[in-house]
Structures are given as structure tokens and as C-alpha cells.
Amino acid sequence: MKRDPSPGPDERFVQQTERVRRELLDSAIPVVALTGPDRPTTECFAGTETFNGAITVVRIVHGDPTAGPWASVDTARWTDLPVNAGPLRAHLEHGMRLAGDRFSDAEWTENDTTVLVDERPVPGRTVRAGHRWWATRCERDGVEITVTARDWHPTTVHLGSVTDLTPLLDALGTRPAAVTPPTDPVALPPGLAREPHRALIDAALRTRRDHNAWMADGEHRRTCPRTGRRSGRPPYADRGN
């Protein structure tokens, strides 16, 4: 029996992009993004979160996540669901963790605030960690909006409804150029040349300790060998690179 050939990477990318587009438009979640001339530039669609196959969160990001002013806007709907976004501080801690910043050393403060959504005032709550990071959350018409930011400090947060998602979704249709991995041989990590089972056990224990430390306090910075940029991926993500 002759089988149809499997789709190539370009075709699979197109299929996945079209699926995301269709699911996002069918979800009917009202999406918002930052507005105003002082917002971080380079707005882009950054993905969704789902629960039981239904989209619950849509994320738009502004700016470069690795340097300079940056912000993300999560629009979420949790109506009739047994889950929610969790505490605002935990949300901000996770953003700092992914960026490779410590959060135990930061001075944490909270205060009430007012966010302008489509130029209408909406009460909210702000959590700050030191002088660089903050997050604000508010709710309008059953839709929860969470803004997380780094190195960007507007006097008032301005948000606007995204009535046309086409430009953001069209950007998904461009498949990133393939990156050729380094060809230099990778040296065997120290210790793995000894008894293999003992080495695997030690590596698993070390990974668990590193992960627990990363979850507890963030700050694991790695440098990409190709771009030179630093990020806060989990410690075990570096192994084998």
C-alpha cells in the first residue's frame, strides 16, 4: 500500500498557524493591547493558553524580551471554569524567573490603581518588585486583563481593544529561518566518563536541586552561543548545549 508522504516542515508550520488562527477567532475572547505613544514598540501575538481545549488566555507582547522596555498583556476569561490566573505576585515572579532575575532580593509593594481601557477608567491592583518590574491586573465585563512590564514605567496604563487581529495573526504565517546548530564537537560533561548509572543518578539529583532553586528564587542566566543574549531558562535547559 502506497502511503501519502508526511507534510514537510513548511507545510506543518502553515497548518499549525492556520489552526491557531481559527481557534483564536472562534474563541471570541476580546483582546486588548497597550496604546499610547510611550508604550514599548514591536507589538506581536505571543500565544494562547487553553483549558479543556478552549482558549482561556490570549497574550500580546510589546518590546524586546531580552533588553530594554518590555511588556506583555494577557486577556483572560475564566467564567464557569475551575481555574484562574492565580495571585498577581506569583504571576510577576514567574515573569522575573523566566527573565533570569532574582525576586527574593527585590522590595515588594502593592497598591490600588486605575487603568484606562478604551479610555474608560477601570479599577485595578498593582504589584511592584524593585524598580524594574511590576504587574497590574483589572477586570472589565468578565474579562481579566493582566499587564506585566520591565523597565517601562508609564504614569497611567492605557489599553485598547484589538478589533482587527489579522495583522497580528498574519505575522504567524512567516516561518522563522532555520538556524544551523554549531558544528564544533561537544565535550563530554565532567564526571560522565565514570560509571554511567552513578553519573545519571547524580545528574538527576543535581537537576532537581537546580530546578527547586530556580523556582524558589529565579536568576539562572544563560548566554546563547549564537546571539550572545541572556535569558532565564531553567538550569537543566543548558545541559547538552
Side-chain angles (χ1 to χ4, degrees):
M1 178 183 295
K2 184 177 181 181
R3 296 183 178 180
D4 295 332
S6 300
D10 290 332
E11 185 177 351
R12 289 197 301 270
F13 183 80
V14 171
Q15 293 173 352
Q16 181 180 7
T17 298
E18 183 56 33
R19 178 183 57 80
V20 172
R21 177 197 299 270
R22 185 172 58 255
E23 291 177 352
L24 182 56
L25 294 177
D26 290 345
S27 71
I29 292 182
V31 180
V32 301
L34 295 175
T35 60
D38 64 338
R39 71 185 187 279
T41 57
T42 319
E43 171 185 300
C44 66
F45 172 76
T48 62
E49 296 179 16
T50 62
F51 181 80
N52 284 346
I55 292 179
T56 55
V57 180
V58 179
R59 180 169 297 118
I60 305 294
V61 299
H62 302 255
D64 185 341
T66 63
W70 172 88
S72 71
V73 182
D74 288 5
T75 310
R77 178 180 283 157
W78 308 106
T79 306
D80 299 326
L81 294 177
V83 295
N84 57 47
L88 184 57
R89 172 165 173 159
H91 179 89
L92 181 55
E93 285 181 351
H94 189 59
M96 297 174 67
R97 182 183 297 117
L98 292 177
D101 286 349
R102 290 175 63 96
F103 42 81
S104 64
D105 293 340
E107 180 181 355
W108 289 81
T109 59
E110 296 188 31
N111 61 275
D112 293 328
T113 190
T114 298
V115 179
L116 293 181
V117 183
D118 294 328
E119 298 306 318
R120 295 184 177 181
V122 179
R125 188 75 175 167
T126 294
V127 174
R128 297 184 181 277
H131 66 280
R132 299 187 63 205
W133 288 87
W134 58 268
T136 291
R137 178 173 290 162
C138 64
E139 183 173 332
R140 186 184 72 164
D141 299 332
V143 175
E144 181 184 82
I145 303 169
T146 304
V147 180
T148 308
R150 181 205 62 218
D151 296 333
W152 177 61
H153 305 284
T155 303
T156 303
V157 176
H158 291 257
L159 296 163
S161 298
V162 180
T163 57
D164 183 9
L165 290 170
T166 301
L168 293 174
L169 296 177
D170 283 347
L172 295 176
T174 304
R175 182 171 179 244
V179 177
T180 302
T183 57
D184 296 337
V186 178
L188 191 67
L192 288 187
R194 56 192 175 90
E195 202 280 320
H197 294 93
R198 182 69 256 175
L200 286 175
I201 293 172
D202 290 345
L205 294 174
R206 185 172 60 252
T207 294
R208 173 52 58 183
R209 290 195 300 268
D210 290 348
H211 177 78
N212 290 341
W214 180 72
M215 289 295 296
D217 201 19
E219 198 192 33
H220 175 78
R221 294 182 177 271
R222 70 182 292 274
T223 301
C224 176
R226 292 184 294 274
T227 66
R229 292 182 171 180
R230 298 172 70 81
S231 67
R233 291 170 55 193
Y236 44 82
D238 294 350
R239 302 207 171 114
N241 287 352

